[in-house]
Amino acid sequence: MLTTAKIEEIRARIKTWKNKGESVAFVPTMGNLHAGHISLITEGKRRADHVVASIFVNPMQFGPNEDLDGYPRTLEADQQKLVEAGCELLFLPTPEIIYPRGLSVQTFVEVPGISAQLCGATRPGHFRGAATIVCKLFNIVQPDIALFGRKDYQQLQIIRTMVEDLSLPVEVMGVDTVRESSGLALSSRNGYLTAEERAKAPALKRTLDDLAEAIKAGNPVDSAIDSAKAALQAAGLTPDYLELRQAQTLAPATAQDKELVLLAAVYLGKARLIDNLVFNR
């Protein structure tokens, strides 16, 4: 696996592949890789001739009181996992390479509406940072397909909207969330959990499962969500939000919508955990 911080080296390698008519899959990450990330690499290998990954802890998507400096960085272990998974090219830029003029004057990409709600309401500017870095990475790598985990469901829909709105020639694919046997979605932020908190965390997925069943059974949505929030509190999780949305647009769900998604974020100790559940009514 070639690891480089240089944009021109990335472009040269990919140009060589594309001149041969070979396809490229791309997996952008912030590192601290787990089995969920590796599932994206594996799926990329199934769908393209070559797989490229990036590791970049993007300062633009962290708020002033968030964990940019403390975000776990495990480069050596990450590189080993990528090599074992069959990744051929790793882009490892610095903030100075990505934002050479500095964040205060950096051109940005923002997907209106959908970016300001749910996680965007709690983390203003987060999705502006995510959309900007993904757009920039797409321009550098120029992949045929890009793979993202469905755990970050709102981000996935934002990236899809951005690609459509800006007419970017990239197929965006969501890959199913990888979970522990307990049901807890794999996340780099699970590392912040103590042993006691980790035992509580699976209550999030169980609550989403129970709530979906209640909604499918015809129970009033508002009262079902209130009961689910109470169940989270009783399990030791503090809800940030728990909402029912239309699965494609993330607009508030109406009684006529059939394709639905439950989205939740909770606080547990130092960690903020997110999860979702897509289902049909």
Side-chain angles (χ1 to χ4, degrees):
M1 182 179 70
L2 172 66
T3 297
T4 180
K6 296 180 179 179
I7 293 173
E8 58 269 27
E9 287 191 3
I10 293 291
R11 285 180 167 159
R13 177 64 65 93
I14 290 169
K15 183 178 180 180
T16 299
W17 292 335
K18 292 203 168 187
N19 283 344
K20 298 176 183 177
E22 297 168 347
S23 57
V24 175
F26 178 47
V27 178
T29 82
M30 293 208 301
N32 193 220
L33 303 184
H34 51 64
H37 297 107
I38 300 308
S39 74
L40 305 181
I41 301 292
T42 302
E43 187 64 25
K45 281 181 64 65
R46 289 185 59 245
R47 294 180 173 271
D49 297 310
H50 303 281
V51 180
V52 181
S54 64
I55 294 176
F56 179 63
V57 182
N58 178 27
M60 188 184 279
Q61 66 193 71
F62 285 79
N65 298 313
E66 294 185 332
D67 56 347
L68 174 61
D69 291 337
Y71 194 85
R73 291 162 170 84
T74 55
L75 178 58
E76 189 173 333
D78 292 348
Q79 289 176 299
Q80 184 63 36
K81 290 174 183 177
L82 290 172
V83 168
E84 292 173 357
C87 180
E88 296 171 71
L89 183 58
L90 172 61
F91 184 38
L92 191 67
T94 64
E96 291 74 24
I97 289 171
I98 295 296
Y99 305 121
R101 297 191 302 129
L103 285 178
S104 63
V105 293
Q106 169 68 36
T107 299
F108 62 83
V109 177
E110 189 161 43
V111 180
I114 190 174
S115 296
Q117 51 193 288
L118 302 167
C119 282
T122 302
R123 307 180 67 191
H126 169 70
F127 289 121
R128 172 191 288 184
T132 299
I133 188 57
V134 170
C135 186
K136 185 152 189 170
L137 290 169
F138 282 179
N139 285 331
I140 292 168
V141 176
Q142 298 188 356
D144 299 286
I145 182 172
L147 300 102
F148 296 84
R150 289 198 177 101
K151 180 183 76 71
D152 298 297
Y153 192 87
Q154 184 179 7
Q155 175 178 273
L156 175 61
Q157 298 307 98
I158 286 169
I159 298 304
R160 283 176 166 156
T161 302
M162 177 191 74
V163 164
E164 181 177 354
D165 286 355
L166 299 183
S167 303
L168 300 179
V170 182
E171 178 189 352
V172 176
M173 179 183 176
V175 177
D176 287 345
T177 302
V178 177
R179 300 180 181 277
E180 297 181 0
S181 58
S182 66
L184 176 64
L186 296 188
S187 169
S188 297
R189 288 187 166 87
N190 290 354
Y192 297 143
L193 298 172
T194 66
E196 181 181 358
E197 290 162 353
R198 184 173 282 272
K200 296 177 180 178
L204 177 56
K205 176 62 163 59
R206 291 196 302 270
T207 300
L208 290 175
D209 289 338
D210 292 344
L211 177 54
E213 291 303 316
I215 292 170
K216 287 191 284 187
N219 293 326
V221 171
D222 288 346
S223 61
I225 288 177
D226 287 342
S227 296
K229 287 180 177 178
L232 290 172
Q233 291 276 15
L237 285 65
T238 301
D240 178 8
Y241 64 78
L242 174 56
E243 298 196 21
L244 180 69
R245 297 294 181 100
Q246 200 279 332
Q248 302 305 317
T249 66
L250 295 189
T254 69
Q256 288 72 44
D257 289 323
K258 302 301 181 185
E259 295 183 28
L260 303 171
V261 58
L262 287 166
L263 301 115
V266 300
Y267 296 101
L268 181 57
K270 295 180 179 179
R272 181 178 180 274
L273 307 178
I274 62 172
D275 207 341
N276 63 81
L277 177 61
V278 178
F279 64 101
N280 290 329
R281 178 162 53 186

